[in-house]
Each structure stands twice: as C-alpha cells, then as structure tokens.
Amino acid sequence: MLNPDYPIRTERLDLRPFTDDDLAALHAYQSRADVARYLYWEPHDERASREALARKQRRTVLRATGDALDLAVVVRETGQVVGDVLLFWVSAEHRQGEVGYVFHPDHGGRGYATEAARMMLEIGFDVLGLHRVVGRLDARNTASARVLERLGMRREAHLIESEFVKGEWCDELLYAMLDREWQALRPAWS
C-alpha cells in the first residue's frame, strides 16, 4: 500500500489531492475543446467537472491493482492549480504502472508536465517498486509525446486505428520505461 504524505514536492510544484476549492481550476481546463481533443471525454460542462473532481478526490492511495494517484499540480510560487497528474497501478503481480497528465494550455512550455510526471515515475519505481511504467496517447498528440520523450521513455508501439474514439478510428502510441532505465537516468536529473 502507498499512502503518500501530501503535498509531494518537486522543485517548483506541489502535487496534492484535489479539494472542493479546486473545481474552478479543474473546470477551466476540462471545459476546453483543445484539452479534450485527444482524450476519451468531450469538453466538460460544470456538472461533468464536478463529477470528475469527486472521482479525483477518491484517488489518493494505492492499495491494490486498479488504484491510482490522481493529483492536482500546484505551482508553489503562485498556489495555482495548472493541471493534474496520474499514476495508475496496472498490475501488482507484474509490477506495472501507467503515467498520465492533463494541463491547462496557458501553462504549457514551462516544463510542469515533465516535472510532475517525473515525480510519478519516481514514486512508481522507487516507492512502489514497479518494474515497468507506460504512457499511452493519441498518436496526434505530439505535445504529450514530447513530454514522455523528455522523461526518457521509449516509444514501443504505434497501434494503427486501435480505438474508436469520438466517432473516428484513432492511432495510439505506447511509450514505456523499465526500472533499470529509470535508475540509469536518475544521475542525470540529480
């Protein structure tokens, strides 16, 4: 089981459970068509954002396969929620996880997604003892692919028309990292 002490701090960010006070910030990016474009959901109205917030608030502890840490990403200097980051425990038996993130486009280009996702990899590999972590994305989402590449994840697969999403067949990219690859990269980040 993993029940982190919150907030989890990076150089510039605090990763913490969502609170009721985060609804406006969450809705500010979940309601945008450009954010939802490559995700499974359509832009959210306020009710859908409220439901998403309630789900995220329940995802703060890893007890078993299928659990997730789904955390608000807060810029420490301003206190502003700029996105969210996810570590999903795919399999305890096979020591597998998945990392994900969604950020407000107004805060892009500052390295926040990379910094927050790097911490999720650290938790996955160094705390949870995972062997492998993947990142999955719509193949058209080049910005997200660049984040995974900056993390040192390797592109393993390009699945052609593997999912029918929002009325169209979509390609999916699969990136991955093994624990030994993570350990080899750590000195470069220190």
Side-chain angles (χ1 to χ4, degrees):
M1 182 171 95
L2 175 62
N3 187 4
D5 289 330
Y6 292 111
I8 299 166
R9 298 181 75 115
T10 69
E11 182 181 338
R12 302 173 294 162
L13 306 171
D14 287 336
L15 312 180
R16 60 155 175 80
F18 277 89
T19 69
D20 290 341
D21 293 337
D22 296 326
L23 178 60
L26 181 66
H27 184 65
Y29 59 90
Q30 285 193 338
S31 63
R32 293 177 58 130
D34 56 343
V35 170
R37 172 67 182 108
Y38 301 122
L39 301 172
Y40 292 112
W41 38 267
E42 295 291 346
H44 284 183
D45 59 18
E46 189 171 332
R47 186 180 118 276
S49 289
R50 190 176 307 281
E51 291 168 0
L53 177 64
R55 279 190 306 276
K56 290 175 181 304
Q57 288 176 311
R58 293 189 299 270
R59 298 172 82 174
T60 62
V61 177
L62 297 174
R63 292 183 181 93
T65 293
D67 288 347
L69 297 181
D70 198 346
L71 305 175
V73 178
V74 180
V75 177
R76 190 174 310 116
E77 184 177 305
T78 64
Q80 187 173 17
V81 173
V82 295
D84 55 82
V85 67
L86 172 84
L87 176 63
F88 180 69
W89 195 1
V90 175
S91 171
E93 178 184 2
H94 301 290
R95 296 175 36 216
Q96 308 274 325
E98 182 176 340
V99 66
Y101 40 83
V102 179
F103 279 78
H104 195 297
D106 290 354
H107 301 282
R110 298 181 180 127
Y112 294 149
T114 304
E115 187 173 329
R118 184 177 295 135
M119 179 54 73
M120 293 292 99
L121 290 176
E122 182 175 330
I123 291 168
F125 288 122
D126 296 347
V127 180
L128 199 56
L130 296 178
H131 171 70
R132 175 183 167 85
V133 176
V134 300
R136 299 177 312 115
L137 61 143
D138 186 302
R140 298 168 294 182
N141 192 344
T142 56
S144 186
R146 283 192 303 270
V147 170
L148 297 175
E149 290 164 3
R150 279 193 299 272
L151 290 168
M153 297 181 85
R154 138 185 50 70
R155 184 170 141 179
E156 288 192 337
H158 183 147
L159 307 174
I160 307 298
E161 295 184 7
S162 60
E163 295 186 308
F164 193 73
V165 180
K166 299 178 184 174
E168 63 182 328
W169 285 106
C170 299
D171 291 7
E172 181 180 29
L173 297 180
L174 177 68
Y175 283 77
M177 178 180 281
L178 299 175
D179 178 57
R180 66 178 172 265
E181 294 167 321
W182 166 255
Q183 297 306 327
L185 283 173
R186 293 204 64 198
W189 294 332
S190 299

